[in-house]
Amino acid sequence: MPYQAGKRLPGERASKLGHLDVLKSPLVQQLVQKFEEQDPSDLPPFTGWQPFPPLGKPLDIIFAVDGSWQPITDERPPYKSIAFIKTALVNLDQVGLSQIDKETPHPFAIRDLMSKSAAYHATALPLRHLYADGISVYNAVRQVIYESVKDESLQGEIMETFKWLVYEKWSNNPRPLPPFECPHCGGKNATLPIDAEKGNCPNCGNELFITDMLGFHLEMVEEAASDSVATAYMIIHETLLLFTGIRHFWETSKDVLSRCLFIKDGPLQIRAQYSKLVNPIRNFLLHANEQGHPVNLIGQEKTGTFVDHLNLISRNAPAGNLFIPDHVYICEKIQHRPPNGAPYGRDTNYGAKVFVTANERCRLVLNVPVKTSMGPFIANPSIDQLINIENILATLPSLLSSRHENALLPIELANSVASLSTYPSAQVLRLFADATVKKK
Ligand SMILES: [Zn+2]
């Protein structure tokens, strides 16, 4: 997703309500008048900021992932629709970063960098009334998702990462897939044996793909799929692309892994039924930390309620500070709902929200995984529970973009690759090999 236009310039002010005839109630009249005033000095000062902890060692190998998607709909009945989805992973080192002009990066410099340092994936999902050889949209989407995760242009590495996570192959005790709902008969006990990519439903005998465990079929009917299937696929593929880098270094060199920072565009979150991937990710991150090889991972949110809230509280905030909103704060101040019920993000998030004032101009909403001996989820994390936050904060200054407000250059570059339609795909393994060689 591209960075949005900045908000620092004063917008044009016009009365939004002046022409409305509303109830002649003094209270309503007063509220309407207050709405028009919008004086920022009315806000109580925010006092939750705390200074950065002592900074650690900057990380010198950077990976960033981003994706884009575009639905294309035929104007004529039956309004056929197809979604194009792209994801990209870029690799930068501190030398490469320092060579890019952050004010006005030369397009050729970026192109050269990207041709050596980017892996790229593109696919298309039918959304409505698009049939191939008598296969329904429902089954076509299932099959395309399965084949896309196996993408041979990425040497099948994304499927390997998917299996590595969901079967917990990184542990000494890999496990079968937790039971999921069969896309054919709806039986709740579908599963696959360890390391299988396909199998048959124990209930109806029909073919199952490993990707069915994520439940894309729950957002589809026979002839149409919801647009959210495309966005869910994009987010899952971005996540798997990034974890392919983590897996590669976990298996080949944990020393190099400890020098890498992995950056995801968007929150470290997988929503709804797709959140079945969240626990395996949390379990691995916790395991890596307990083994003494913590993974440096962040997500950056560029839009949404958390970014809006940061704009609200960061006015006049000191630079070099951070704030970690807890469950009650998120519910009451950001989501505007009572804080009863399950802790925020319990089932869907693998990182805590961290508001950061990187310098006088740059404010970021980051997501950072947490470590704990209490289990894989913490509702109210503290600074010292954020995995390797000292090193991540030490790396931030070299990542800040001068082109966009509150932007990270590696995400901008990943976005520029993900939004190109014909970018050549470097081989994914070569990308990691090059990153290792450069550092030796
Ligand atoms: Zn079945």
Side-chain angles (χ1 to χ4, degrees):
M1 190 179 26
Y3 282 99
Q4 308 294 308
K7 298 191 178 73
R8 233 179 272 134
L9 297 172
E12 193 181 351
R13 290 226 54 85
S15 170
K16 289 191 172 69
L17 302 172
H19 64 286
L20 284 180
D21 247 348
V22 291
L23 190 69
K24 300 275 183 266
S25 137
L27 177 57
V28 172
Q29 298 288 338
Q30 191 191 355
L31 290 172
V32 168
Q33 196 187 348
K34 286 277 180 194
F35 179 86
E36 297 279 19
E37 285 174 8
Q38 286 199 358
D39 181 359
S41 61
D42 277 0
L43 295 170
F46 178 74
T47 56
W49 296 105
Q50 50 184 325
F52 284 177
L55 296 186
K57 194 165 174 273
L59 302 158
D60 57 355
I61 309 174
I62 315 295
F63 286 95
V65 72
D66 196 5
S68 64
W69 80 284
Q70 181 81 48
I72 309 281
T73 302
D74 188 351
E75 299 290 305
R76 300 159 301 181
Y79 310 107
K80 286 185 282 193
S81 185
I82 188 168
F84 290 92
I85 302 152
K86 302 164 210 158
T87 59
L89 176 70
V90 300
N91 165 231
L92 292 160
D93 56 19
Q94 289 293 355
V95 179
L97 267 177
S98 64
Q99 283 169 351
I100 294 181
D101 180 343
K102 289 178 187 167
E103 289 288 347
T104 50
H106 194 284
F108 287 173
I110 294 181
R111 183 196 61 187
D112 292 349
L113 181 81
M114 292 299 102
S115 65
K116 293 195 289 279
S117 310
Y120 170 77
H121 166 76
T123 192
L125 293 177
L127 292 179
R128 279 189 295 282
H129 305 300
L130 202 57
Y131 310 103
D133 293 337
I135 304 178
S136 64
V137 168
Y138 184 90
N139 282 321
V141 169
R142 288 181 50 237
Q143 188 168 337
V144 170
I145 286 175
Y146 171 71
E147 289 176 3
S148 301
V149 170
K150 281 177 77 73
D151 186 353
E152 284 307 313
S153 74
L154 298 174
Q155 293 87 48
E157 289 294 317
I158 307 304
M159 176 60 86
E160 282 308 313
T161 302
F162 186 40
K163 292 196 290 180
W164 183 75
L165 284 172
V166 294
Y167 291 117
E168 302 198 346
K169 289 168 71 176
W170 44 263
S171 79
N172 293 327
N173 298 303
R175 52 161 209 185
L177 288 191
F180 59 96
E181 185 191 296
C182 171
H184 305 285
C185 67
K188 305 287 186 208
N189 59 342
T191 184
L192 292 173
I194 292 168
D195 212 31
E197 295 176 7
K198 281 183 190 181
N200 296 93
C201 171
N203 200 27
C204 68
N206 284 307
E207 186 173 53
L208 298 174
F209 301 124
I210 183 175
T211 41
D212 287 329
M213 72 153 303
L214 293 169
F216 289 99
H217 59 277
L218 301 176
E219 294 191 288
M220 295 193 277
V221 292
E222 201 63 13
E223 307 309 342
S226 158
D227 286 3
S228 55
V229 168
T231 52
Y233 174 82
M234 181 185 76
I235 288 167
I236 284 164
H237 199 275
E238 288 172 350
T239 308
L240 293 175
L241 199 50
L242 201 61
F243 270 85
T244 297
I246 294 170
R247 175 176 65 86
H248 176 84
F249 293 118
W250 180 260
E251 290 173 345
T252 57
S253 171
K254 294 189 175 69
D255 289 341
V256 177
L257 180 69
S258 69
R259 295 160 55 190
C260 293
L261 174 61
F262 297 90
I263 308 176
K264 184 182 170 298
D265 172 47
L268 299 182
Q269 177 184 61
I270 304 175
R271 64 171 186 84
Q273 69 264 35
Y274 309 103
S275 65
K276 286 195 186 112
L277 209 47
V278 168
N279 266 333
I281 287 174
R282 281 189 200 144
N283 291 345
F284 167 72
L285 292 173
L286 204 55
H287 171 75
N289 191 61
E290 283 166 358
Q291 297 284 306
H293 304 288
V295 176
N296 308 298
L297 171 64
I298 55 172
Q300 190 207 353
E301 298 185 34
K302 299 186 301 203
T303 57
T305 51
F306 286 87
V307 174
D308 293 345
H309 189 75
L310 176 62
N311 288 332
L312 201 63
I313 63 171
S314 66
R315 197 176 282 114
N316 304 323
N321 273 244
L322 57 76
F323 168 58
I324 310 168
D326 63 15
H327 164 71
V328 173
Y329 187 96
I330 289 174
C331 291
E332 291 185 346
K333 306 287 188 188
I334 300 176
Q335 298 187 323
H336 310 304
R337 64 181 174 96
N340 38 28
Y344 170 78
R346 185 189 65 186
D347 300 322
T348 54
N349 293 14
Y350 55 100
K353 309 283 178 187
V354 187
F355 295 129
V356 173
T357 58
N359 61 31
E360 284 71 20
R361 290 182 300 125
C362 182
R363 280 85 169 85
L364 304 168
V365 177
L366 299 183
N367 289 205
V368 184
V370 290
K371 59 187 168 192
T372 167
S373 55
M374 310 281 288
F377 179 78
I378 308 179
N380 305 316
S382 58
I383 287 189
D384 56 358
Q385 288 169 319
L386 302 174
I387 292 178
N388 271 4
I389 188 69
E390 313 80 19
N391 295 352
I392 291 167
L393 293 173
T395 314
L396 271 188
S398 65
L399 306 179
L400 302 181
S401 163
S402 307
R403 260 203 303 181
H404 293 96
E405 249 180 44
N406 307 327
L408 300 177
L409 188 61
I411 292 185
E412 276 182 20
L413 294 174
N415 179 258
S416 69
V417 178
S419 49
L420 284 177
S421 57
T422 55
Y423 211 82
S425 167
Q427 296 192 345
V428 68
L429 288 179
R430 206 189 69 208
L431 181 67
F432 305 134
D434 287 352
T436 314
V437 170
K438 272 187 243 165
K439 293 290 107 201
K440 277 188 176 160

